[in-house]
DNA sequence: ACGCATCTGCTGACGCGATAAACAGTTTAG
DNA sequence: CTAAACTGTTTATCGCGTCAGCAGATGCGT
């Protein structure tokens, strides 16, 4: 899981951007990286990322596991291809009216939908700065397009993008993990624990008594996204008013390190 | 990785809360779950979570892998113990002056520090609603303590907690993944890609030209945390002014589903 | 003081994962 | 037509979590 090979990035990129020349000799290839990735996506959608093993993917084509290595350097690159495949619908936000806020909101919702449709995406993009394909860069471009009208410095636009992308991930995480059965069990057992040790967790107890953990039918993205965008709006207002601030003012934390 | 056993939660909780009776017969146990967890933490700190295998942990005591199963039901529970061990310093925010905002900020910073000291924590708490030990609940209690003075409804306090905890995770993710070597390589290769396909990613190109990806010496938690807390402040202001709003007003997204 | 139930820790085995190596069979360029 | 280039297979290695069964230590009830 932590074996980097240094050449992975380069080979991954080559694969993602289709920069390989399939030669003309020998038998016709029966597969393509794309077809393999799509089969892997189907498998992951149905049984989770953990079920995606070289042999199970190969089995979808009635081939042996090793056959895949003719098309894909290794599993790392296969997962990168899966991500790219799933992001094929690059958002076009130019039709969204109302400026940066509705556009960013729409971007976030589209991203959330992809995560909902492919719960494994979260785990697949979790670690490392991986090789990015054209579709992934397309999503990034769309986000910057939405942020441009804020008039904020590019560095801050980037930070806001990271913030919102992270938010979508967080919310997706909650939704992915959700499991009626398991969740009820968890609520029951943990609730019982807290009640038993109420004196040790007074504020938690108080909050629960006032409905903090009451289930909620609203889309879980609504509330946090509204908060974050309010925060961005506040930054824009302050920047417009003050002429120039770097956005890292003293509000919200003092200690130097 | 995806094998749930239904009894895991219950046994995990029993272990975390020390609700087992070690009997009196037989040889003296040479270990305790706690000592095992601490050894595993040291291993993970040094070589990453992937390096934490039953045999490697056991090797730290010159024992065989199977010996650990006398103390710990399985690896799942071991990881839960590791998390609990690392959260032993439950924050006490009562000394922090200035109301909810500095307190929440402090909570976030402490959490960030733990994540920095134990990069594997992120992966260890990534999945599922796991069994929570007293320390973990302590952190939760501290957060609600900080949120109480906002006067917001408990359900919103909970949502804000989730938002901020997620934010810390996101930032921690960035920091954990960071690797000078690999990052420079990534910047070089990906930058080159974007330049080559500039026409396809106009806004991204524009943002980069204006310094969007320029490295930054500020603590990466500063900016996003300030934005989120500004957003919370806006919610408080609005609630105070309007008397009553449910916090899911129309700002920031309209479509019903 | 003794014996056995109760422990601890060990070895061996299983199944499953990624992937390296060597090989058999196929296709096409020269 | 032949050899290079290519596809797919079998076999093997290594590491993982964990189950089963065994050897030896310990201390309770007698």
């Amino acid at each position: 899981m932590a074996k980097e090979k240094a050449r992975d990035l380069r080979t991954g990129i080559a694969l993602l951007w289709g920069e390989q020349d399939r030669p003309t000799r020998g038998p016709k290839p029966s597969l393509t990286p794309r077809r393999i990735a799509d089969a892997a996506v189907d498998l992951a959608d149905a049984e989770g990322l953990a079920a995606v093993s070289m042999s199970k993917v190969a089995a979808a084509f009635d081939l042996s596991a090793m056959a895949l290595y003719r098309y894909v350097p290794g599993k790392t690159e296969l997962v990168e291809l899966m991500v790219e495949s799933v992001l094929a619908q690059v958002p076009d936000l130019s039709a969204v009216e109302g400026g940066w806020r509705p556009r960013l909101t729409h971007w976030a919702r589209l991203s959330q939908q992809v995560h909902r449709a492919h719960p494994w995406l979260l785990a697949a993009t979790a670690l490392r700065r991986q090789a990015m394909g054209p579709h992934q860069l397309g999503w990034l471009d769309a986000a910057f397009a939405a942020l441009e009208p804020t008039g904020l410095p590019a560095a801050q636009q980037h930070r806001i993008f990271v913030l919102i992308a992270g938010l979508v991930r967080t919310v997706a995480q909650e939704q992915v993990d959700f499991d009626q059965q398991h969740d009820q069990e968890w609520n029951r057992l943990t609730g019982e624990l807290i009640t038993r040790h109420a004196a040790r967790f007074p504020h938690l107890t108080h909050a629960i008594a006032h409905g903090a953990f009451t289930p909620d039918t609203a889309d879980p993205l609504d509330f946090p996204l509204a908060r974050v965008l309010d925060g961005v709006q506040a930054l824009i207002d302050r920047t417009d008013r003050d002429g120039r601030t770097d956005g890292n003012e003293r509000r919200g934390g003092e200690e130097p390190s």
Side-chain angles (χ1 to χ4, degrees), chain A:
Chain A
M1 197 72 86
K3 324 265 171 154
E4 17 264 307
K5 295 188 187 172
R7 66 157 228 287
D8 269 345
L9 246 181
R10 207 182 294 274
T11 60
I13 288 177
L15 198 62
L16 286 166
W17 292 79
E19 290 165 353
Q20 344 103 50
D21 6 68
R22 280 276 161 205
T24 162
R25 293 270 240 275
K28 299 271 167 61
S30 73
L31 296 179
T32 61
R34 192 179 216 89
R35 294 220 315 146
I36 295 175
D38 288 343
V41 166
D42 289 344
L43 222 184
D45 285 348
E47 306 180 36
L49 191 58
V52 176
S53 69
M54 296 308 258
S55 51
K56 291 225 195 78
V57 174
F61 300 103
D62 280 310
L63 293 180
S64 78
M66 292 312 292
L68 301 191
Y69 286 88
R70 296 285 171 200
Y71 302 94
V72 162
K75 195 177 177 182
T76 311
E77 290 78 8
L78 172 55
V79 173
E80 284 167 355
L81 278 173
M82 291 171 67
V83 172
E84 184 69 6
S85 163
V86 134
L87 296 180
Q89 284 285 347
V90 176
D92 175 11
L93 306 173
S94 57
V96 178
E97 295 297 329
W100 64 271
R101 188 160 178 149
R103 285 190 184 174
L104 266 188
T105 302
H106 197 232
W107 188 96
R109 286 211 183 291
L110 289 175
S111 178
Q112 185 195 26
Q113 279 165 25
V114 175
H115 279 94
R116 229 201 304 259
H118 310 286
W120 49 268
L121 183 57
L122 205 53
T125 54
L127 313 160
R128 94 222 140 209
R129 234 163 171 65
Q130 64 198 149
M132 292 176 81
H135 297 146
Q136 212 168 345
L137 285 184
W139 281 76
L140 192 52
D141 191 66
F144 275 106
L147 279 161
E148 242 170 47
T150 57
L152 293 170
Q156 291 192 6
Q157 289 181 24
H158 179 227
R159 292 203 197 96
I160 293 168
F161 162 74
V162 171
L163 172 55
I164 291 180
L167 173 59
V168 172
R169 288 181 60 89
T170 302
V171 171
Q173 180 89 255
E174 290 172 58
Q175 297 191 302
V176 164
D177 291 354
F178 187 81
D179 168 344
Q180 187 82 23
Q181 207 71 27
H182 185 267
D183 218 62
Q184 284 182 355
E185 180 81 351
W186 187 88
N187 276 331
R188 212 171 51 69
L189 291 174
T190 308
E192 186 195 313
L193 269 177
I194 295 173
T195 312
R196 180 139 37 99
H197 299 87
R200 194 165 168 186
F201 310 110
H203 305 97
L204 187 51
T205 304
H206 180 263
I208 290 175
H210 288 73
F213 286 75
T214 304
D216 184 355
T217 60
D219 185 321
L221 183 59
D222 285 341
F223 182 88
L225 184 58
R227 276 345 105 221
V228 168
L229 294 181
D230 278 355
V232 172
Q233 183 65 61
L235 175 62
I236 294 174
D237 293 346
R238 206 173 314 138
T239 304
D240 288 349
R241 179 160 17 85
D242 297 2
R244 194 70 356 212
T245 319
D246 80 357
N248 266 329
E249 347 64 71
R250 44 251 148 290
R251 317 193 55 178
E254 290 81 6
E255 56 259 80
S257 176

